[in-house]
Amino acid sequence: MRIAKDYLVIFGALALLLCNGVESGAQVRVSIGVTETIETHNPYGDSASLLYGIFSEVTGPFCTYSYAKGDFEGRLAERWKVENPTTWIFYLSKNYKFNDGTTVTADDVVHSLMNRVINDPQSKQKASVAPSIVKAEAVDKFTVKITTDKPTAPLLSFLCDRLIVTSKAAFDKYGRDVADREHMMGGGPYQLKELIPGQRLVLQKRPDHPDAKKNPRAPDEVVYRIMREPEQRVTALLNDEIQIAQFVPPHMRQRIENNPKLRIAPIDSVEIMFLAMQPKPPFDKKEVRQAVCQAINRDQIISTLLEGFASRLDGPLGPGQYGYDPNLKPKLNYDPEKAKKLLAQAGYPNGVDVELQTPVGRYTLDKQLSEAMIPMMNAAGFRAKLLTPEWATLWANVQKGTIPFYYIGRGSVQDPSAALHQYFHSGETPRIGYSNPKLDELLDKEQQEFDAKKRRQYLSQAMSILTEDAPACFMWRHKLLWGLNSRVEYKPLPDARIYAIEMAVKK
Amino acid sequence: MATYLLHRLAGTIPVLLLISLLVFLLIHAAPGDPTLLLLGEETNAAEVAKAKERWGLDQPLYIQYAKFIRSAAVGDFGKSFKYAEPVIGVIKTRLPATIELAVFAIIIATLLAIPLGVWAGSKPNSWIDNLGTTFGLFGISMPSFWLAIMLILLLAGVLNLLPTSGRSTYGIAGPEQSGFYILDSVMQKNWSAVWDALTHIFLPALALGVNMLGILMRVTRSSILEVMNEDYIQTARAKGLREKNVVWRHVTSNALIPVITVVGLELGTLLSGSIIVETVFAWPGSGSLLITALNARDYPLVTGIVMTYTLAFVAINLIIDGLYAVVDPRIRY
């Protein structure tokens, strides 16, 4: 019994110590629980949405997409013009200064594009930021000329919120690795204060920055903490350990809503979710593809499993995305009887075997949503099975074009050009392997058309072909749920980027 | 002893070679292409081809393996695809976090398991024995990922006693020196940072150590029961020694040999268990690094981490063998 008493004393003391809780700082600091990893000091060393957002905030951004206006807005690049179909001129603001006080100039933009994004073997951003750019040159101190290898009307969708402009002088003086680790220079309203790969990243406000002066209530410090588990993010938000929780699953939202100090902020994502169908038997027949689309009751799935936190897609795009056409036709609505007839027309009156592959845990309730689709498809005459490979396997096979039928999302679709080319233009990627000369012609035209009105028309016609021919069933856009402490005023963005300079914090 | 150690060291070379070959083949056989995973959604065939050439993935597998072995022999596991830095350097930055976590898991497990095991073993079939056995079974059978979430829910959520994740609160710790936060903070006499680090490590270490705790407790109990029936214990009692002295001085010291063996074996399990626990608790150690590397199919980094774990496992076993001689004077090499 004596031993027991000794241990009780020890544990009692330990419990008392633990009850003292965790200290918190006095700074106006906002901690954000995020799901993606922050792994590298090299701002060009990864190609992830969160990183583009964070480093854009540190370094600019170069330009940004305004969801309110449905168009691009200037930032470091104040304005631009298309000199000819392959030449763009960008005029830089003279007010952007690196954190050492030197002005951000055209040389820095050229250096960032050519030396860091395009030619540096360590860059993982060439395809995402500068796919068609062949040359960037400084016309004068604040003017940059960018040349593309082909007319690229959606060039801004690659550069805005993505191009990270870092200091050429720091690079020349310290070399790449030391400059990135110890002298991360940017012209944005925040500067990098600490990065512990795999754990957290800390930004500190630059109070003298013009954007910071415009919004003095923006937090002094922002701590991005990696929290992959939703439970962890929700618990940390409830404990005030973090003030913003990214991506709260719908079934956990009530725990947040029940707390008077917290709220849920839903926002339509720009990630489009769809079922891709390769034109190989049985999906080589348009009727089979259309039957899939008409067999699935998207509204029911949205209202039940997703608890209303998604917006149905009747084509590739939804409101707020560039080129969205509310009058797009045809609409393949839920109609199981029609689906049965289509299957019979395609030569499968007794049904047909199909295997749907879905990732697990990659997208909101991906497996559960796919599971719900299976009985719906079976009720319309399919004999559907669900396969759930690990993401790396599924993604590799999608990119190789070896999966005939899969559920997937395509993110960052502010401007749909890249996504539509990637999945539906002949010969671009083998992800679907679909080929339609008329669609190719329209997609080529939209990419080369600099008149916005005409370009939207081409996009609309292309999307109409896609919904009619149905190489993919466009399902929904999730509403991303953000958990927010009521001390923080912030409107999350559809692309899940986080701009702390747009926050307002009550002290 | 020296000859024995040399023999043992020589014996590790084929083990390391075999494991390196297995890991190399398995990771290359796993579906998924690092170039496609790392270069982003909008990448194209030309970029993929360039990356393959840069990373040596365009060469036949046997050449890639031969190059890897040649470099590994001089302690170079190559360059990580994802981090574009030497693998050794990337692992070095993460390993202290895992070691610190493993040490605390062992401390929690042994501090609880040995006294509980001794207590249960010295009073067989008593209520404390039944309680201890149930507790041990609970520890062994509980999956660490489930326990981790439950601990977060209870101790961080409902009771709000501890932070949910991470290794420290931003702004409290001083400059990092050794990579061991607690040790660094003690050296700097930054007691608030020591406390902060302890509050952060408690939940992951508990989640990681509970399984070991269960096993150790049961092994200790069995071992105690066995030694309790030895003649020399009866002699000690006959000499009139107090039961407490008999149990702690004579029984426990003799019952510890199998416990040490299990501690050694379980250290390997701790390393593998840390992969899950580190991921759940956002603990920036080599376990969570391995998950990141696997998801990116970062072949050099995956191979490097597994080889590091193998080396650690081999070294631990060597140390445990050496400890036998210290604990049991009858054992000589």
Side-chain angles (χ1 to χ4, degrees), chain A residues 135-150:
Chain A
K135 196 171 160 193
E137 54 195 311
V139 176
D140 61 39
K141 199 175 174 186
F142 295 104
T143 310
V144 180
K145 183 158 96 174
I146 289 179
T147 311
T148 57
D149 58 359
K150 58 182 178 185

Side-chain angles (χ1 to χ4, degrees), chain B residues 14-38:
Chain B
V15 172
L16 292 174
L17 274 174
L18 187 65
I19 289 179
S20 71
L21 182 64
L22 273 175
V23 175
F24 194 86
L25 290 178
L26 284 174
I27 187 69
H28 278 80
D33 184 333
T35 52
L36 299 176
L37 289 164
L38 284 166

Side-chain angles (χ1 to χ4, degrees), chain B residues 8 257 259-265 267 313-327 333:
Chain B
R8 285 291 304 271
I257 294 174
V259 177
I260 291 171
T261 310
V262 173
V263 169
L265 290 173
L267 274 172
F313 200 73
V314 168
I316 288 163
N317 276 288
L318 270 176
I319 293 167
I320 295 293
D321 283 355
L323 272 181
Y324 287 152
V326 178
V327 177
Y333 297 110

